[in-house]
Amino acid sequence: MTFASRGANMPRLADFNQRVVLETIRRQAGDVSRTELAELTGLSPQTVSNVTRRLLDSNLIRETGRAATGPGKPRTMLRLNAGGGFAVGVHLDPLVIDFVVVDVSGAMVARGARTTPTVGSPRHVLSAIATSIKQILRKAGADHTAVMGVGVGAPGPIDHANGVVLDPPLLTGWRNVPVVADLGQRLGLPVMLEKDVVAATIGENWARLSDETASFLYFYLGTGVGIGAVLDGQVLRGASQNFGEVGHLVVAHDGPRCTRCGRVGELGPLLEPTSVVADGVAAGVVAPPASAAVDDVDARFREIWDAAENDSAAGNIVENYISRLAVGVARVTDLLDVREVVFGGPYWSMMAERVLAGMPATLATEAVLRSVGSVRLSASRFADTGGAMGAASLVLDHALSVRPDFLSLRP
Amino acid sequence: MTFASRGANMPRLADFNQRVVLETIRRQAGDVSRTELAELTGLSPQTVSNVTRRLLDSNLIRETGRAATGPGKPRTMLRLNAGGGFAVGVHLDPLVIDFVVVDVSGAMVARGARTTPTVGSPRHVLSAIATSIKQILRKAGADHTAVMGVGVGAPGPIDHANGVVLDPPLLTGWRNVPVVADLGQRLGLPVMLEKDVVAATIGENWARLSDETASFLYFYLGTGVGIGAVLDGQVLRGASQNFGEVGHLVVAHDGPRCTRCGRVGELGPLLEPTSVVADGVAAGVVAPPASAAVDDVDARFREIWDAAENDSAAGNIVENYISRLAVGVARVTDLLDVREVVFGGPYWSMMAERVLAGMPATLATEAVLRSVGSVRLSASRFADTGGAMGAASLVLDHALSVRPDFLSLRP
């Protein structure tokens, strides 16, 4: 992208204000009146009246009756018409493929999962994904015509412009796989692809209410680690939509050797289940996993966290894990200057209690920007489904969100 | 900041399009006609005609005669009216304070510098800065009424909302110094404060022409190191405007111990002149500096780089420096997913040739995103004045640039 500035005209302005009003309705905790919308958006009552008329005509919002919200006469309240359409989200993880169907409000209406096939070509996996999508749409009772599209979150790096998964290190055999073209053809639906953690971050951003902070870091804890970032409500995607590679940040002077660059002490290898399980086996906390397969390692990894409560050797491994994670969080929050970190990914719920208890003390000494304020830690609102919910939000975000460039006349 | 979306109206739209047209004129390498402006901005010829009329009336642009640019009749060409106003830039560095005066086009019309006083209170330093600003404005022949404001770039962290320098580690005795209020009172001019590297990045972004890449990393090499980032034309400032702390990234398993967190191998301490000079002294490349003062250390640091051509011990120190810098660049370009790095700061010109020759090979093996494309390395267009030019650009950027939130109705 270059610096070509594009102007705006009145039709773009009208579309923009329609998105602003829709987004304002959507981000309220409850219903909202036209008078409140005018106050919240800065738009004139006349403009709000025109815009809400168009939104009602398009079935994007609905009236929910009258409420007495102040002195004058009762006001007609508005809310999003959640049933106006559906979006599918697919999270392709090395261990499991998660599926969700959401309505226009972003609420989950169906959910499914299947183990990621470890044999067969990527094309075979995509065929299985297409079958699962058809099944879950039937389960959700979503008519094909009401489905706005399918979002896919996949391990990076990706070629976003062409909808291709390039060469993710943790997804064996996947190299230059045209996910968007392949799934689009199989399903006859628009398909959008983002890097998994970017998708999860877009989902988290999409779901925030109007009074929540609009700058935060998203820290994904799964088979791999990655981050996403939102500054002033805008998700950072990077020049090639591959934002958030943090696995090679060095956070310690010991630990496993990175198989890619040969260094010890990198965040990714340190937090990988494989290396934690190796430590657990060496310390006699768990038996060696039945095989090197991700699911066998996953089981042992969870055993170690379970054992940490009563077994001091397991406790040490877990404390070590948290302190390394804390150093990574400090470095990245300092770099990006964000004051809030949201944790997500399949391992988060297992780790939440201990991380939230143990990390603030480390951050208070590690963070350079502590004079600016402390870093707030919280959990993703989607628990273990953040990847798939984020993927579904790609479709909603594209169709409905306010984007700063939305006004600009396209070349 | 929260998610409150604000709408736009027709007066905002008119102002927005005026900024778009002004920015488009400004970012052209040569003069531009109204017909070209319509093509470039997507605006109708009628809108371009109205907007350029307003810009001519405000003396922000001027007509430069007619040119035959195609088949039809010769077109009247437009360019920025560079003499329409002035901005002052001040870069407060631990070693030296740089001053520039620029015109509306961002071209430097005067330049000055003074050694940073190492004795006396910050208030005393600010008094000296105000005196220097008055002197340089006289030198530039800039009438007080034509001065749009003063931009100050200072080491972070800063309290941006209140215009206060908080507690920069390299600026001894500076703690909660109200730079904006103090200088504003002394000068009777608007004053804007940004973290030094953020200011330099804004300046680099401001000066780019329309066909240049709008996503890049800015890497500042001075007494301290820091980064700035621009994604899709937007400068990342962070939640508290303190974006870009990279000094504590670990890039090696040896090196000096960080005086703050006790770790070895951190990027900031490794690249600090003090530690490089200590290596040089140990290797017999240079004599010990006369004192620990920044200017004495600075002189020896430059001697080592000068000696690297013919002295293999100095050459090793410099190669080591470049490879550590390369690891830092790889980690941050991967994290932010940018494909271009611009180097600046007072040490850059001394280092440029060797860094540009030596770094690409390291990056090619270090960068995780190499499958997405290689990272282009270049020099800041401002050479050693990037800090002060960036500070001046704060004033111009605020007054004249297209910002995505510019359309929004303010609360």
Side-chain angles (χ1 to χ4, degrees):
Chain A
M1 194 184 135
T2 59
F3 279 98
S5 291
R6 306 290 293 180
N9 60 13
M10 286 180 55
R12 302 301 299 170
L13 182 67
D15 286 354
F16 178 80
N17 282 334
Q18 183 169 323
R19 288 201 173 209
V20 166
V21 170
L22 185 63
E23 179 133 338
T24 304
I25 293 171
R26 190 175 71 71
R27 289 200 191 269
Q28 299 308 303
D31 297 350
V32 62
S33 71
R34 288 176 177 81
T35 309
E36 288 168 305
L37 283 173
E39 284 159 15
L40 290 166
T41 61
L43 294 168
S44 69
Q46 183 59 45
T47 301
V48 169
S49 176
N50 294 341
V51 170
T52 52
R53 171 49 48 208
R54 283 206 304 276
L55 290 169
L56 285 163
D57 289 347
S58 319
N59 275 322
L60 284 166
I61 62 170
R62 60 192 178 87
E63 294 184 337
T64 58
R66 289 172 178 274
T69 55
K73 62 174 184 171
R75 296 161 174 178
T76 305
M77 304 304 282
L78 302 164
R79 79 165 64 150
L80 203 68
N81 182 22
F86 299 96
V88 179
V90 180
H91 180 208
L92 175 59
D93 178 82
L95 196 58
V96 66
I97 306 173
D98 283 312
F99 302 86
V100 295
V101 177
V102 303
D103 64 23
V104 172
S105 77
M108 192 194 293
V109 295
R111 178 181 178 180
R114 64 183 301 157
T115 305
T116 307
T118 50
V119 293
S121 67
R123 196 163 284 271
H124 166 84
V125 177
L126 289 171
S127 164
I129 288 174
T131 305
S132 293
I133 289 173
K134 288 172 190 163
Q135 282 166 353
I136 198 173
L137 281 172
R138 271 198 298 278
K139 182 170 148 194
D143 187 75
H144 193 274
T145 57
V147 181
M148 300 159 70
V150 176
V152 179
I158 62 163
D159 172 354
H160 186 263
N162 296 303
V164 170
V165 169
L166 288 175
D167 56 349
L170 295 172
L171 215 55
T172 318
W174 284 61
R175 202 178 162 82
N176 300 327
V177 181
V179 170
V180 166
D182 185 296
L183 280 183
Q185 198 173 21
R186 290 179 199 275
L187 296 165
L189 287 168
V191 177
M192 307 178 72
L193 173 71
E194 290 280 357
K195 187 181 154 185
D196 46 10
V197 184
V198 171
T201 308
I202 291 170
E204 205 68 37
N205 191 48
W206 161 265
R208 293 208 147 195
L209 297 180
S210 63
D211 57 352
E212 292 185 83
T213 318
S215 296
F216 63 91
L217 188 74
Y218 181 89
F219 214 112
Y220 180 89
L221 296 161
T223 317
V225 296
I227 61 151
V230 178
L231 293 183
D232 292 342
Q234 298 304 311
V235 178
L236 304 187
R237 300 191 188 197
S240 71
Q241 319 273 326
N242 282 299
F243 185 91
E245 174 57 54
V246 287
H248 296 270
L249 286 188
V250 173
V251 296
H253 291 306
D254 56 6
R257 200 163 284 280
C258 174
T259 54
R260 181 152 182 176
C261 57
R263 282 198 186 79
V264 300
E266 294 187 356
L267 189 64
L270 276 170
L271 302 188
E272 246 171 43
T274 316
S275 71
V276 178
V277 169
D279 287 352
V281 171
V285 174
V286 288
S291 79
V294 274
D295 50 346
D296 287 332
V297 175
D298 173 75
R300 289 289 182 268
F301 185 52
R302 292 178 183 275
E303 269 180 53
I304 293 171
W305 281 80
D306 285 346
E309 185 70 38
N310 301 307
D311 178 327
S312 71
N316 286 342
I317 291 172
V318 162
E319 290 311 309
N320 224 358
Y321 183 100
I322 293 171
S323 78
R324 268 85 185 259
L325 178 59
V327 175
V329 167
R331 289 301 89 83
V332 180
T333 51
D334 275 342
L335 177 63
L336 298 175
D337 180 21
V338 288
R339 312 279 89 206
E340 182 177 350
V341 179
V342 177
F343 292 96
Y347 290 132
W348 169 249
S349 54
M350 162 179 103
M351 300 175 173
E353 197 179 332
R354 284 177 170 271
V355 171
L356 294 177
M359 191 175 287
T362 314
L363 280 183
T365 58
E366 281 285 345
V368 178
L369 289 180
R370 56 190 171 224
S371 60
V372 172
S374 62
V375 172
R376 199 171 89 84
L377 307 177
S378 66
S380 162
R381 63 190 74 216
F382 298 121
D384 295 354
T385 60
M389 291 297 282
S393 78
L394 300 177
V395 177
L396 302 177
D397 191 58
H398 180 79
L400 306 172
S401 280
V402 176
R403 289 190 302 275
D405 67 344
F406 182 74
L407 265 150
S408 304
L409 296 159
R410 298 291 183 283
Chain B
M1 194 184 134
T2 59
F3 280 97
S5 291
R6 305 291 292 181
N9 60 14
M10 286 181 55
R12 302 303 299 170
L13 182 66
D15 286 353
F16 178 80
N17 282 335
Q18 182 168 326
R19 288 199 173 210
V20 165
V21 170
L22 184 64
E23 180 133 336
T24 304
I25 294 171
R26 191 174 72 70
R27 289 200 192 269
Q28 299 308 304
D31 297 351
V32 61
S33 70
R34 288 177 177 77
T35 309
E36 289 167 303
L37 283 173
E39 285 159 14
L40 289 166
T41 61
L43 293 169
S44 71
Q46 183 57 45
T47 301
V48 169
S49 176
N50 294 340
V51 170
T52 53
R53 170 52 43 210
R54 282 206 305 276
L55 290 169
L56 285 163
D57 290 346
S58 320
N59 275 322
L60 285 166
I61 61 171
R62 61 193 177 87
E63 295 183 337
T64 58
R66 287 171 180 277
T69 54
K73 63 172 184 174
R75 295 165 175 173
T76 304
M77 303 304 283
L78 301 165
R79 79 165 63 148
L80 203 68
N81 181 23
F86 299 97
V88 180
V90 180
H91 179 207
L92 176 59
D93 178 83
L95 196 59
V96 67
I97 307 172
D98 284 313
F99 301 86
V100 294
V101 178
V102 302
D103 65 23
V104 172
S105 77
M108 191 194 294
V109 295
R111 178 181 177 182
R114 61 184 304 157
T115 305
T116 308
T118 50
V119 293
S121 66
R123 195 163 284 271
H124 166 82
V125 177
L126 289 171
S127 165
I129 287 174
T131 304
S132 294
I133 289 173
K134 288 173 191 164
Q135 282 166 355
I136 198 173
L137 281 172
R138 270 198 300 277
K139 182 171 149 194
D143 187 75
H144 192 274
T145 56
V147 180
M148 299 159 70
V150 176
V152 179
I158 61 164
D159 172 352
H160 186 263
N162 295 304
V164 170
V165 169
L166 288 174
D167 56 350
L170 294 172
L171 215 55
T172 318
W174 284 63
R175 202 178 162 82
N176 300 327
V177 181
V179 169
V180 166
D182 186 295
L183 281 183
Q185 197 172 21
R186 289 179 200 274
L187 296 166
L189 287 167
V191 177
M192 307 178 72
L193 173 71
E194 290 280 358
K195 188 182 154 183
D196 45 10
V197 185
V198 171
T201 308
I202 291 170
E204 205 68 36
N205 190 50
W206 161 265
R208 293 209 147 196
L209 297 180
S210 63
D211 57 353
E212 293 185 82
T213 318
S215 296
F216 62 91
L217 188 73
Y218 181 89
F219 214 111
Y220 180 89
L221 296 160
T223 316
V225 296
I227 62 151
V230 177
L231 293 182
D232 292 343
Q234 298 304 311
V235 178
L236 304 186
R237 301 191 188 196
S240 71
Q241 319 273 326
N242 284 299
F243 184 90
E245 174 58 54
V246 287
H248 295 271
L249 287 187
V250 173
V251 295
H253 291 306
D254 55 6
R257 200 162 284 282
C258 174
T259 54
R260 182 152 181 178
C261 58
R263 281 197 187 81
V264 300
E266 295 187 356
L267 189 63
L270 276 170
L271 301 188
E272 246 171 42
T274 315
S275 71
V276 178
V277 168
D279 286 352
V281 171
V285 174
V286 289
S291 79
V294 275
D295 49 347
D296 288 330
V297 174
D298 172 75
R300 290 288 183 269
F301 184 52
R302 292 178 183 276
E303 271 179 52
I304 293 171
W305 281 79
D306 285 346
E309 186 68 39
N310 300 307
D311 178 326
S312 71
N316 286 342
I317 290 172
V318 162
E319 289 312 308
N320 223 357
Y321 183 100
I322 293 170
S323 78
R324 269 82 185 263
L325 178 58
V327 175
V329 167
R331 290 302 89 82
V332 180
T333 51
D334 275 343
L335 177 63
L336 298 175
D337 180 21
V338 288
R339 312 280 90 206
E340 182 178 349
V341 180
V342 176
F343 292 97
Y347 290 131
W348 169 249
S349 53
M350 163 179 103
M351 300 176 173
E353 197 178 332
R354 285 177 170 272
V355 170
L356 295 177
M359 191 175 287
T362 314
L363 280 184
T365 58
E366 281 285 346
V368 178
L369 289 180
R370 57 189 172 225
S371 60
V372 171
S374 63
V375 172
R376 198 172 90 83
L377 307 178
S378 66
S380 162
R381 62 190 75 215
F382 298 123
D384 294 354
T385 60
M389 291 297 282
S393 78
L394 300 177
V395 176
L396 302 177
D397 191 59
H398 180 79
L400 305 172
S401 281
V402 176
R403 289 190 301 276
D405 67 343
F406 183 74
L407 266 149
S408 304
L409 296 159
R410 300 290 182 287

